[in-house]
Amino acid sequence: MNRAELIAELERILGPRGVVATPDALLTYDADGCVMDTHEPHVVALPTSAEQVAAIVRLAARAGMPIVPRGAGTGLSGGATPMQGGIVISTARMDKILQVDTANGRVLCQPGVINWELSQYLKPFGYQFAPDPSSQKACTVGGNIANNSGGPHCLKYGITASHVLAVQVVLPDGSIVWTGDGSAHTPGYDLTGVITGSEGTIGFVTAAWLRLTRLPEAVRVVLALFPDIAGASNTVSQVIASGLLPAALEIMDRLAIKAVNDMYKLGLPEAAGAALLIEVDGVEDGLDELLHDVTAICWRNGAIDVRPARTLAEQNQVWAARKNAFGAMGRLAPTYYLVDTVVPRTKLPQTMDEVGRISREFRLPIANVFHAGDGNLHPIILFDRRDRSQNQRALEAATGVMKVSIDFGGVISGEHGIGVEKQDYMTLLFTTDDLAAMAGLHQSFDPHDLFNPGKVFPKGRGCGELAALRRSGVAWSALKSS
Amino acid sequence: MNLALLRADLTAISGEQYVREHPVDRHIYGQTPLLAVAPGSLEELAQTVARLAAEPVAIVPWGGGTQQTWGRPPARPFVVVETSRLNRILDYTPDDLTISVEAGMTLGALSAALAANGQMLPFDCPLPAQATIGGLLATAMDGPRRLGYGSARDLLIGIRVVEATGRISKAGGMVVKNVSGFDMMKLYLGSFGTLAIIASANFKLIPQPRAAASILCRAATPAPLWKLINAIAASQLVPVAVEYLEGFDVAGAPCAVAVRSEGLPAAVERHVRDVTAFAQQAGVSAEPLRDAAHEQLWNAINDAPQTATLAADEVVVRVTCLPADLSNAIAAARAAAQRANLPLQVTARALNGVAYLRVRGSAEALREWHAALLKAAPQTMLLAAPPALIAELPAFGTHIANLDLMRRIKQEFDPADLLNPGRFVVGQVA
Ligand SMILES: Cc1cc2nc3c(=O)[nH]c(=O)nc-3n(C[C@H](O)[C@H](O)[C@H](O)COP(=O)(O)OP(=O)(O)OC[C@H]3O[C@@H](n4cnc5c(N)ncnc54)[C@H](O)[C@@H]3O)c2cc1C
């Protein structure tokens, strides 16, 4: 099938408005938020229904072309980048909230619904969709599900996986299935659970029942300022250890404060080395006690100021600064590389020291804006992409952050996923046998590597090869002699 | 099969005293295993599985044996592989609020170790002194506090398994947030030991609350209690458990609702006040319970669905449905029980749509009761039944979707169908 035939077939399925094929337009689909690797798709499809997605998948199989699912393209690991070309299926036109079912604590959505719009829509009902990535004003729930995304409030409410009750997916064989209806124990293997976080490699999500979370009765936000990041990190470690359960604990360092100050007029003293954003929520009763205990820990760790956000407007302003901090980085450098890793929470202070050392070693400024309560770092390496030496040093600094995180008992991604960005780092964390088990799961869904091929697994170790390895098993005699 | 040779090889791996022939105390619905072997380390477990796979002979992983009646009995002669000696804490830094434990550790032992540091893993399973972590994960057992803290699905952050060939693999890690690679934890959780044997697991822990109390609301009939449950659901209260109870002697009334609150003292008192007020509006009594009375009530509720000790004429099932359909499903179970005059006991995670039911009667009466229940709740799972009935009653309900896909997964992970053959929805695949 040549390109013209492919486009004609797609137009037959989707109508002319559902197909993007002009060279200029295709360029805008050559990457997601991770601009380190780019590649154009052959064509972009914009379906409106699961049936259309299924038809495209069957067509792709016939044409021998990969499928690359795409939400808003805010992903930071290259997950939506069509590294081998093929058909990008965008969910931009699958953006309907279909049913709010408060009696069963669930809402039915199409995958292209914007995370923020969902929560705004649910507010009048008294509910929210709890996962709240900082990109929530742009990213889609389909992308959230595929990446098992996190957000500041995951500290208390858990990651996306805990909020996906069931999904409708188109499988690589072109069938359309529901993994459940939102009830607690669907008989059989937990297909919802394995599809969530699979980065679009085993199923294309065409609808989902998501969990509704009741809006809390009361919320308190304070901003604690510290002379340095050590004070803020120590505070976070101690708050966690003391068994207090805030809704969010987010840190911004000196560079980040400077960037957001300009943009949001927070008037934070730029002498402050770090700001810790603390939110507690729940029933009104007891909340002040909780906040009192948390702020006491701040003072013990050398806080220079603890500022309550007294009104809703003040709270929103503080949160807007935090959630748009990455955007403000443009004020500091032409390019930034956001590295997402996780460490055990007692290791936070030492890890932040190491991040400072890496910044000095590679002579690149690193800003930090992160989900400290979960131990989820986001060192933001600031550099100029046009400078080849800086480019190289930025990559090396990122590798350094990953290695340090692993040395401290952590992992290479807390919420942004592996995609292409980190696929070759997987072997730092996993043995061949570990990867082979994941490949086994992948193979049972997508034996022909049709969905988002060449992602997650290390380059040069195809899923098929890894799965064949695990199938070969271990010989009893080999074990006996070892 | 040369049993003597197999036994000799297994003895070479785990030691003489840990290999037993035809142990009757490991029977499942009257079927005694060929052998029971208890490896003492991850490596011994892997070698044991590799040896059994080489035979090949079916394998039934065995934790505390409290839930071996769940699902279907083994389809072929089998060897029991016990995890009881894999009972160590592997890694625990209390201030990280994470722990890694071997699969054979009991929830009771784990809870004791955590309590010493003011922490907990709020799984609330039956018979915690016997039930092991591996078994709880394999069956995805859920307790009343899943409402407040989530279930194992939300708290399991890492896993290590021995696959059907003896290969060891792991996934996840020791951090509370992690998307490095596929979420294999979800695959093994609730897979009934049909894909791999869980060797160890890592969890996110919960700090013990500063205060806790419950409100026990009693009534003669169910209707006002469901009004109360709905009022709680519509409020902004955040109880950690809301359990509907029926035919449950400990509650001291035909029907009851137990609400559990945990957290800061002021927040707990607020729950006691508000739930009491809701109860009054619904026309039911409300008694606050604290300290020992509170603990005793919940221990009894947690144990209610146990399947370790059964009467000869007893059936235990788990009903799963949408939360709003739960009262109707229970009503159907009640009506069917009343028709045949069968005693029925219900403990239900009211806001999660999960209910554990026990009923006793003649084979004929039980058969009819189960059929009537399935009509109202097609996702009902059989947890235990008299041996005469176990082969004929549908074990996983009448509504199993995506069987082809699940069989492909089983085929990939255990092509020779060695692990728990016949037990799970995938049935026999080899
Ligand atoms: C400024 C900024 C801040 C961010 N903050 C956070 C944060 O706080 N927490 C966090 O977790 N992430 C964060 N991210 C990363 C990103 O926003 C999330 O990963 C988000 O969930 C991606 O959604 P998307 O709609 O943009 O998906 P895309 O980028 O379009 O796709 C992401 C992945 O999902 C797959 N996919 C998309 N739709 C489907 C579908 N329907 N079915 C199957 N697979 C699909 C794609 O193939 C790809 O692999 C941030 C990104 C930016 C740019």
Side-chain angles (χ1 to χ4, degrees), chain A residues 236-357:
Chain A
V236 169
S237 292
Q238 287 170 29
V239 167
I240 298 298
S242 67
L244 300 166
L245 273 183
L249 285 172
E250 299 279 314
I251 291 181
M252 283 186 272
D253 74 356
R254 189 190 312 271
L255 269 176
I257 292 172
K258 185 164 149 22
V260 299
N261 245 358
D262 296 351
M263 230 160 134
Y264 297 97
K265 316 269 171 280
L266 283 188
L268 298 176
E270 295 190 5
L276 172 62
L277 196 167
I278 303 161
E279 180 172 305
V280 296
D281 74 4
V283 293
E284 180 68 41
D285 315 58
L287 221 47
D288 287 323
E289 179 189 340
L290 177 58
L291 199 55
H292 173 269
D293 290 0
V294 175
T295 46
I297 297 175
C298 295
W299 291 121
R300 273 211 300 283
N301 283 287
I304 48 181
D305 196 3
V306 177
R307 303 179 172 184
R310 289 198 178 76
T311 62
L312 189 62
E314 279 178 22
Q315 291 184 2
N316 289 341
Q317 192 192 19
V318 173
W319 271 117
R322 160 61 187 93
K323 290 199 173 169
N324 295 307
F326 300 134
M329 289 302 145
R331 303 191 166 226
L332 301 178
T335 334
Y336 68 82
Y337 182 3
L338 198 170
V339 192
D340 162 51
T341 67
V342 195
V343 294
R345 291 165 293 185
T346 52
K347 296 296 187 323
L348 210 46
Q350 283 160 279
T351 313
M352 295 317 296
D353 284 350
E354 286 296 304
V355 170
R357 183 190 59 70

Side-chain angles (χ1 to χ4, degrees), chain B residues 143-154:
Chain B
R145 281 187 292 174
R146 67 169 292 160
L147 179 67
Y149 300 107
S151 62
R153 203 173 179 273
D154 308 290

